[in-house]
Amino acid sequence: MSVVPMQYGLLLAAVLFALGTLGVLMRRNIIFMLMSIEIMLNAAGLAFIAAGSRWGQADGQIMFILILALAAAEVSVGLALILQLYRRLATLDADVASRMRG
Amino acid sequence: MTAAFYVAAVVAVLATAMVITRANAVHALLYLVVSLLAVAIVFYVLGAPFAAVLEVIVYAGAIMVLFVFVIMMLNRGEQAAQQERQWLTPGIWIGPAVLSAVLLGEIIYMLWQGPASVPASAVVTPRQVGMLLFGPYLLAVELASMLLLAGLIGAYHLGRQERHAAERDIQKERAGRERETVAR
């Protein structure tokens, strides 16, 4: 039985991370930007899992669990901010909210 | 089992590319769920079954449901029914359905192959993860719990603020009406 080389796992993580970065740079809808951030966090977790499986250690999965907790906290605050933005400015355009005054 | 990895990787990349190019947020969410499920299969093939289960439950389950709730709350309402009819055309759901069918076929194939299909040499069991998590990484677990508490309080505060303002508006309105009646 052949095991998947670590390079391919890291390559997949890099491609997913690049797609997430592209999404953040490309889209101006703030919900899509948050989704792209989720993609990037997930890709970072994938890189940790691939590296952890290369040496058969559990540390990679622990880093993934911590990233998962981070993503959960980040998305809850981010979505609450999106709700506030929509209620105050009635738009989801990130450029409209570029000027923040106190 | 390397074939399962490549198929799931291609599905993940395709679905992610669809996520960042969709115009509609709900369509993008459908593809994002498929992408996360594909990454879960990648985790399983890489010998991390516990991480794969967490990916499905927490990412594809809880976090995506949060997104769905928020998108529903942002829905204007007036053209909602018309939009719903638009969303359910076959052109919309056929893409995620095909990609999910590929993943389902992969899972059935792996179950059919039995335990031999699991990369036994590199599997890291949940037991190992748990022993390490509550041993050397105990401080990190505590920090993660603090982070989650901060996220909870932050989301509560941000979600609560507006209702406060709305109550203030209602009170102001009521006070104005009372003043009007007194003046009359």
Side-chain angles (χ1 to χ4, degrees):
Chain A
M1 178 176 21
S2 52
V3 178
V4 179
M6 183 183 65
Q7 286 88 343
Y8 293 150
L10 291 182
L11 184 66
L12 176 63
V15 169
L16 289 180
F17 195 90
L19 281 171
T21 315
L22 200 64
V24 171
L25 297 176
M26 207 169 66
R27 306 300 299 252
R28 291 272 65 89
N29 187 327
I30 202 159
I31 286 188
F32 281 91
M33 293 170 83
L34 200 60
M35 277 190 220
S36 303
I37 290 172
E38 289 300 307
I39 293 170
M40 287 159 72
L41 281 173
N42 195 35
L46 175 59
F48 273 112
I49 297 271
S53 85
R54 163 66 178 78
W55 283 280
Q57 295 294 315
D59 300 71
Q61 291 192 45
I62 283 166
M63 287 312 291
F64 172 75
I65 290 170
L66 295 178
I67 288 175
L68 206 64
L70 173 72
E74 173 255 332
V75 84
S76 62
V77 173
L79 286 172
L81 279 172
I82 286 177
L83 279 178
Q84 280 291 324
L85 182 76
Y86 188 73
R87 282 175 188 159
R88 300 231 166 139
L89 302 175
T91 180
L92 291 176
D93 188 355
D95 286 338
V96 174
S98 59
R99 285 187 301 273
M100 289 192 175
R101 301 192 210 85
Chain B
M1 252 310 94
T2 51
F5 173 84
Y6 296 121
V7 172
V10 168
V11 169
V13 171
L14 280 181
T16 307
M18 296 297 271
V19 170
I20 63 170
T21 53
R22 288 307 89 187
N24 194 312
V26 176
H27 303 167
L29 266 181
L30 275 180
Y31 280 110
L32 188 51
V33 170
V34 174
S35 164
L36 294 173
L37 292 178
V39 172
I41 288 191
V42 169
F43 285 170
Y44 180 72
V45 175
L46 284 175
F50 186 50
V53 169
L54 279 181
E55 174 95 5
V56 172
I57 293 174
V58 178
Y59 251 120
I63 294 180
M64 289 303 113
V65 166
L66 262 185
F67 268 104
V68 170
F69 274 148
V70 167
I71 289 173
M72 277 164 59
M73 286 170 79
L74 296 183
N75 205 354
R76 299 287 177 82
E78 63 260 35
Q79 333 107 327
Q82 199 187 350
Q83 259 182 357
E84 197 73 29
R85 232 169 285 127
Q86 245 177 355
W87 287 348
L88 281 178
T89 53
I92 297 306
W93 53 261
I94 209 84
V98 167
L99 291 177
S100 325
V102 171
L103 292 180
L104 178 65
E106 211 171 342
I107 285 179
I108 290 173
Y109 172 75
M110 283 198 279
L111 287 175
W112 197 258
Q113 293 280 307
S117 66
V118 182
S121 59
V123 169
V124 179
T125 58
R127 181 186 157 79
Q128 280 170 277
V129 177
M131 294 297 280
L132 209 57
L133 198 57
F134 289 98
Y137 283 97
L138 190 58
L139 187 63
V141 173
E142 298 289 341
L143 287 175
S145 71
M146 294 293 286
L147 178 71
L148 284 172
L149 180 65
L152 178 71
I153 293 172
Y156 177 69
H157 175 72
L158 286 171
R160 191 165 166 271
Q161 195 77 8
E162 187 57 35
R163 203 176 55 193
H164 235 62
E167 274 169 13
R168 216 182 303 136
D169 285 349
I170 290 170
Q171 274 174 0
K172 216 182 287 171
E173 206 174 296
R174 200 177 295 156
R177 231 180 293 141
E178 275 168 16
R179 226 175 296 133
E180 266 176 38
T181 52
V182 166
R184 237 183 272 148

